[in-house]
Amino acid sequence: SPYDYIIVGGGPGGIITADRISQAGKSVLLLERGGPSTWETGGRYQPPWAQGKANLTKFDVPGLFESMFTDPDSFWWCTDINVFAGCLLGGGGAVNGALYWLPSDQDFSTNNGWPQEWTNHQPYTAMLKARLPPTDAPSTDGKRYLEQTSTVVSQLLAPQGYQNVTINDNPDSKDRIMGYAAYDFIGGQRGGPVATYLQTALGRKNFKLQLYTNVLNVVRNGSQITGVTTNDTSVAGGFYPLNPNGRVILSGGTYGSARVLFRSGIGPTDMLNLVKNDPVAGPNMPPSSQWINLPVGYNVSDNPSINLVFTHPSINDYDNWADVFTDPPAADVSQYLANRSGILAQASPRLNFWSALGASDGETIWMQGTARPGAASWNTSYAFNQTQMFTITAYLSYGVKSRGRIGINAALVGTPLVNPWFVNPLDKSTLITGLQNIVSTMGQVPGLEMITPDNKTTIPAYVNAYDPATMDSNHWVGSNIIGTTAGQAVVDVNTKVFGTNNLFVVDASIIPALPYGNPHGQVMSMAEQAAAKILALAGGP
Ligand code: 6FA
Ligand code: ABL
């Protein structure tokens, strides 16, 4: 049967949009290419220590976050995208660190590239906060655990004028502030849109969720979309149709939605020719006379990030999270199983901080820092105590100047084409200044040593030699940038793809420039606002 709305992708953008549109009484089909994630959704990938004892998967337990990157069976990553992307229900939101910042006015400002119509984000951010309040004390007993890293990093930053705050109390204050990491965890477990918005949607008769269904392209006749083609062999041609005034909303993420557009004949000619030359995807494309040339894949940004690794005698690196999935400390397991409290109720980050940095052109670029016990990698020429390791990741944040390009290769794999980090040299010099600031007060913290870079390497030399692949922050935005002018933007102020009547994009890809913090809070507020704008737009079902 045809649907009013077909929504492609069950990540933070797609789930929130699907919930709000189904709440308005429209029939909604949410298609997700991956399988279930949390136990509530049917996921059953359990840590051995929970088997037979609790309905918990890897995706439910916050303390298992670091094991996402070390598990030999990491079935949750998209295998046809060359950067980390979650291909399961919840998308990136099912596997991410869940750091959760309520968006600020600046994040949605015209200064940050948003059309005027989007600047009044507060009502939507308030709706988000009501459904999914952030917490900086995720353990259900309200206590904080493994906080040595916060203590040491606060000691390092306080002499630089950083104030201790509850970060989400004042989203617009991001200069020399530091505070506990805030998350979208609920009751000591992964919460997010899957545990909230998706559950209300699933309670409606007019909402249907279908997993393991990969949308290959939209079917369109010129500017009119009639449905989507999927990998589902149980329906003729894999085709899911729309009602006469129906709409398709792409929420496949920055790489996923761009690829669906290319495969639907929408985007730059070089990308569309790659699709045309593909023996499977080519024949599904509209004829070249119907191609729509839009800058899909351009204008992409991701925070350049650099890790500093330290040791301090007070730190417990929690065995660098190595055994959390297979065999964490027994006392922590019992505590977590008993009432979702303790170390396993929180992901790895402990302290976050921001400061405003003057770039040499007179503008300001902000820096975010995230501190956590343990380290993903290190490189040093002298001996150190690995059990006392912690990492500060310094991200260039709001105001980052560089842009890159993403797209597909000849195998239709999603991939960066031009890396978005340090394209503009001011980004590099500003981040170097920020890193130098961070370490400038090391002498005031007795026992603190930096092991990467070690004391034979200067910060500029370290940054100059940094492997660009490890500068990826997984915060890709902008491939389907929103704007008022076709050609400069991919979607209009209602998130409708230029040149189409009824195709929309609601996910991180429409965000014109990075917000202050890790972006999924902004993605969720944006989805609230987008759903309202789409429902209010005339001509729909
Ligand atoms: N953001 C934060 O705010 N805080 C964090 O701590 C944080 N950490 C991470 C992190 O640790 C990792 C490893 C990654 C990859 C990302 C992190 N992020 C963090 C970023 C955040 O998760 C993303 O910004 C956010 O999830 C973006 O939400 P979107 O809705 O825009 O896109 P997703 O990629 O999450 O979801 C797309 C969904 O569509 C997936 O479920 C995918 O399987 C599905 N999909 C894609 N193409 C499809 C198709 N053709 N057909 C059907 N389904 C499709
Ligand atoms: C984020 O927003 C980033 O996208 C992640 O990269 C980051 O996690 C989380 N939040 C938490 O701050 C890091 C892990 O802590 C590292 O161990 C891992 O190597 C890295 O992601 C991979 O990108």
Side-chain angles (χ1 to χ4, degrees):
S1 63
Y3 291 87
D4 293 338
Y5 284 86
I6 297 176
I7 299 180
V8 179
I15 288 175
I16 292 177
T17 308
D19 180 48
R20 291 303 185 188
I21 290 179
S22 64
Q23 185 180 25
K26 315 295 178 189
S27 68
V28 174
L29 175 64
L30 177 59
L31 297 175
E32 165 55 46
R33 64 180 290 189
S37 49
T38 55
W39 186 279
E40 184 178 37
T41 66
R44 291 297 178 267
Y45 189 51
Q46 287 204 282
W49 50 262
Q51 282 165 20
K53 294 180 181 153
N55 294 342
L56 293 168
T57 67
K58 187 186 200 82
F59 312 104
D60 289 287
V61 183
L64 299 183
F65 165 63
E66 287 293 335
S67 79
M68 299 292 175
F69 304 99
T70 51
D71 192 317
D73 178 24
S74 49
F75 60 87
W76 46 89
W77 303 124
C78 307
T79 53
D80 56 8
I81 296 177
N82 281 341
V83 298
F84 285 130
C87 263
L88 76 177
L89 185 58
V95 295
N96 67 13
L99 286 173
Y100 178 19
W101 316 114
L102 296 173
S104 69
D105 294 345
Q106 281 299 313
D107 291 339
F108 277 108
S109 65
T110 53
N111 184 47
N112 217 24
W114 286 91
Q116 184 63 45
E117 291 86 341
W118 277 77
T119 55
N120 181 29
H121 74 98
Q122 292 94 341
Y124 306 100
T125 298
M127 287 160 72
L128 168 67
K129 192 178 169 187
R131 289 294 304 269
L132 194 46
T135 175
D136 64 5
S139 172
T140 57
D141 59 6
K143 294 185 190 154
R144 296 193 176 89
Y145 293 81
L146 208 67
E147 283 297 339
Q148 302 89 344
T149 298
S150 309
T151 309
V152 171
V153 177
S154 313
Q155 284 167 7
L156 177 68
L157 298 178
Q160 297 171 35
Y162 282 79
Q163 303 293 313
N164 250 306
V165 300
T166 300
I167 295 162
N168 278 318
D169 281 357
N170 196 349
D172 273 291
S173 162
K174 289 288 194 302
D175 188 16
R176 274 161 296 152
I177 59 112
M178 56 184 171
Y180 293 116
Y183 300 94
D184 67 356
F185 297 147
I186 300 171
Q189 294 182 206
R190 189 176 292 273
V194 169
T196 51
Y197 291 89
L198 181 64
Q199 301 309 316
T200 45
L202 285 168
R204 296 187 189 107
K205 288 197 179 66
N206 55 321
F207 173 82
K208 187 177 176 197
L209 167 67
Q210 195 165 300
L211 300 178
Y212 300 114
T213 308
N214 190 15
V215 171
L216 307 175
N217 55 271
V218 303
V219 178
R220 71 180 171 90
N221 184 4
S223 51
Q224 189 69 23
I225 283 72
T226 56
V228 299
T229 307
T230 70
N231 63 343
D232 183 355
T233 51
S234 73
V235 295
F239 181 66
Y240 281 86
L242 284 176
N243 277 327
N245 290 326
R247 290 164 168 172
V248 171
I249 301 175
L250 301 181
S251 301
T254 292
Y255 285 83
S257 289
R259 176 168 42 202
V260 174
L261 288 173
F262 300 148
R263 294 185 68 159
S264 310
I266 300 171
T269 309
D270 57 352
M271 294 291 104
L272 303 197
N273 278 326
L274 290 173
V275 177
K276 190 181 164 194
N277 293 334
D278 184 85
V280 177
N284 274 345
M285 274 181 115
S288 55
S289 60
Q290 292 191 8
W291 287 5
I292 301 173
N293 190 342
L294 291 172
V296 176
Y298 288 91
N299 303 299
V300 159
S301 44
D302 175 59
N303 311 93
S305 63
I306 300 275
N307 290 323
L308 303 175
V309 185
F310 303 83
T311 59
H312 186 271
S314 72
I315 300 287
N316 169 3
D317 86 330
Y318 209 56
D319 201 15
N320 205 13
W321 308 90
D323 299 328
V324 282
F325 191 71
T326 51
D327 188 25
D332 296 337
V333 168
S334 353
Q335 185 182 0
Y336 186 72
L337 289 178
N339 58 10
R340 307 292 181 266
S341 69
I343 293 178
L344 295 172
Q346 185 172 356
S348 56
R350 287 297 183 274
L351 190 85
N352 293 87
F353 59 90
W354 278 264
S355 66
L357 300 169
S360 53
D361 63 353
E363 290 182 26
T364 302
I365 308 180
W366 275 255
M367 177 180 67
Q368 177 187 352
T370 297
R372 70 167 183 95
S377 66
W378 53 90
N379 179 11
T380 178
S381 52
Y382 58 92
F384 67 100
N385 188 340
Q386 212 176 296
T387 65
Q388 300 177 348
M389 253 179 347
F390 71 93
T391 302
I392 295 177
T393 305
Y395 299 89
L396 210 58
S397 136
Y398 186 99
V400 69
K401 291 171 185 287
S402 299
R403 294 292 183 273
R405 184 186 178 197
I406 66 111
I408 50 174
N409 61 24
L412 310 189
V413 166
T415 190
L417 296 173
V418 177
N419 281 335
W421 316 291
F422 295 168
V423 176
N424 184 320
L426 286 176
D427 284 345
K428 189 188 217 177
S429 55
T430 307
L431 188 51
I432 287 175
T433 302
L435 290 162
Q436 287 171 326
N437 291 349
I438 291 174
V439 300
S440 64
T441 46
M442 273 187 64
Q444 304 198 34
V445 187
L448 181 60
E449 286 193 56
M450 186 157 67
I451 58 168
T452 303
D454 66 19
N455 60 5
K456 298 190 178 90
T457 313
T458 65
I459 294 275
Y462 179 59
V463 172
N464 282 323
Y466 211 79
D467 175 3
T470 59
M471 242 178 264
D472 182 350
S473 295
N474 313 306
H475 297 163
W476 301 88
V477 301
S479 61
N480 299 310
I481 186 171
I482 194 170
T484 48
T485 314
Q488 285 170 26
V490 175
V491 301
D492 68 14
V493 295
N494 294 305
T495 75
K496 185 161 70 70
V497 176
F498 282 107
T500 72
N501 298 333
N502 56 340
L503 179 60
F504 297 77
V505 183
V506 182
D507 59 26
S509 71
I510 72 170
I511 293 178
L514 289 161
Y516 281 118
N518 316 58
H520 94 289
Q522 181 174 38
V523 171
M524 296 193 291
S525 169
M526 178 206 72
E528 285 276 16
Q529 186 166 178
K533 285 182 160 54
I534 292 169
L535 284 167
L537 184 67

